[in-house]
């Protein structure tokens, strides 16, 4: 630290929060003429902690006395420590580590923070992003190798039963993005081909082949052709019945409308069928949709697929194509999926998220979400539950109020 750096005071005030605490403190300090170098405040369950870094100049002792007096009048505790200069500059390697749990146990937080320390990174700030239906906290860290730390924390995520995402922070965490989702068992709870097969009395047979394909045990294109054969002879009107039967995943509408509010582009890419995916995307306001197309002759399904099949390579190609159309680099893309046919798309994206996925997908994705709420993806992007609810309220939408812990 340079000898010309000013003497400074670190003031920490804590106690019961109420309106006017910060105002009263600064009114008193203002009379001394101190310069504010840094300021941070947090309130946890009604308990306020306020930290100020002040350059006192020649009024060091008077400032100490004033701070102590006003804190006493407010019934707050205060600590004052002298020093020299401002905060040391933060190191490079800035990253955001988001930890999501239901519940989030102290043992999991201990393991995550120990890994961060062992990595040689420092935790600079912590904030809570959500308290229901899952608890999510974000660690703002410096001194990290994002790729290496992501691998290290993936181990803790598996052992501790929490979801952890590691992303570059700073400008990389802000700005417009492209979010591309799988549809079956991701955006929706169902597998569309199984809903169709149920009308042909062959649901169980098709479901078994679908499960094997999603685990990566079968070639997706060949398995799709085989499963689609089971639909031969069904009337085209069955598509209307299936569209009506599709169930959105919990949080799907919230996820899409919040992303759209942020100016993000949202797309769906499906190994299912555009006849169902297209109307669903239009209903939700999704910008792009890409899926297979069923062959229909004289109002009857032939059991064939028209054109090139959308397989795992096709999904990744679609993500790249949508990114190019939106003039976004791949680093600004997010992909969400659950099956083996999503792996290329997840690998191509800047952030690949496995959503309630098969083991092979969880192992290879950048991060995983293992709770049944699709809008939990928003927390991984640094968006808080309060921000989501405030936006809903401004648009006249209502969200269920959580129970307030006592």
């Amino acid at each position: 630290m340079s000898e010309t750096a000013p003497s400074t005071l670190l003031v920490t005030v804590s106690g019961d929060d109420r309106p006017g605490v910060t105002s009263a403190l600064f009114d008193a300090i203002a009379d001394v003429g101190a310069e504010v170098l840094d300021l941070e405040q947090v309130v946890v369950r009604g308990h306020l902690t306020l930290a100020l870094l002040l350059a006192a100049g020649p009024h060091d002792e008077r400032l100490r006395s004033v701070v102590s007096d006003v804190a006493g009048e407010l019934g707050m505790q205060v600590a004052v420590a002298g020093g020299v200069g401002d905060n040391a500059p933060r190191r490079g390697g800035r990253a955001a580590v988001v930890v999501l749990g239901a519940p989030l146990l102290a043992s999991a937080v201990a393991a995550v923070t120990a890994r961060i320390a062992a990595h040689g990174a420092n935790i600079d700030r912590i904030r809570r992003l959500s308290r229901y239906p899952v608890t999510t906290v974000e660690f703002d860290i410096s001194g990290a190798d994002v790729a290496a730390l992501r691998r290290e924390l993936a181990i803790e995520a598996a052992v501790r039963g929490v979801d952890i995402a590691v992303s570059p922070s700073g400008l990389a965490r802000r700005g417009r993005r492209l979010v591309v989702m799988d549809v079956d068992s991701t955006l929706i709870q169902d597998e569309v081909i199984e809903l169709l097969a149920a009308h042909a009395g062959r649901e169980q047979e098709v479901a078994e082949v679908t499960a094997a394909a999603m685990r990566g045990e079968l070639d997706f294109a060949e398995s799709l052709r085989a499963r689609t054969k089971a639909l031969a002879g069904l009337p085209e009107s069955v598509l209307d019945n299936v569209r009506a039967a599709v169930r959105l995943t919990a949080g799907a509408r919230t996820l899409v409308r919040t992303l759209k509010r942020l100016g993000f582009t949202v797309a769906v890419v499906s190994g299912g069928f555009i006849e169902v995916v297209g109307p669903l995307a239009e209903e939700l306001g999704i910008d792009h949709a890409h899926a297979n197309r069923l062959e229909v002759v004289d109002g009857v399904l032939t059991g064939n697929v028209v054109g090139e099949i959308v397989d795992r390579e096709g999904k990744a190609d679609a993500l790249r194509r949508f990114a190019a159309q939106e003039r976004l680099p791949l680093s600004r893309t997010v992909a969400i999926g659950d099956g083996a046919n999503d792996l290329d798309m997840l690998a191509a994206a800047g952030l690949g998220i496995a959503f309630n996925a098969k083991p092979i997908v969880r192992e290879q994705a950048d991060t995983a979400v293992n709770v049944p709420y699709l809008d939990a993806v928003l927390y991984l992007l640094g968006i808080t539950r309060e921000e989501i609810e405030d936006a809903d309220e401004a648009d006249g939408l209502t969200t269920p109020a959580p129970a307030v812990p006592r």
Side-chain angles (χ1 to χ4, degrees), residues 85-101:
D86 203 338
N87 301 321
R90 289 184 64 187
R91 293 184 294 169
R94 295 180 60 186
V97 176
V98 178
V99 184
L100 184 156

Side-chain angles (χ1 to χ4, degrees), residues 133 250-252 254-255 258 355 372-380 385 388:
T254 301
L255 172 66
T258 304
F355 179 73
Y373 313 108
L374 192 57
D375 54 345
V377 167
L378 295 168
Y379 310 142
L380 303 186
R385 186 73 191 182
I388 297 167

Side-chain angles (χ1 to χ4, degrees), residues 306-329:
V306 178
E308 188 174 347
I309 286 178
V310 181
D311 56 9
R312 59 186 286 177
E313 183 178 352
K315 287 189 168 188
D317 287 343
L319 180 143
R320 295 187 186 97
R321 184 171 68 254
F322 295 150
Q325 290 174 6
E326 298 296 331
R327 298 183 178 180
L328 288 170

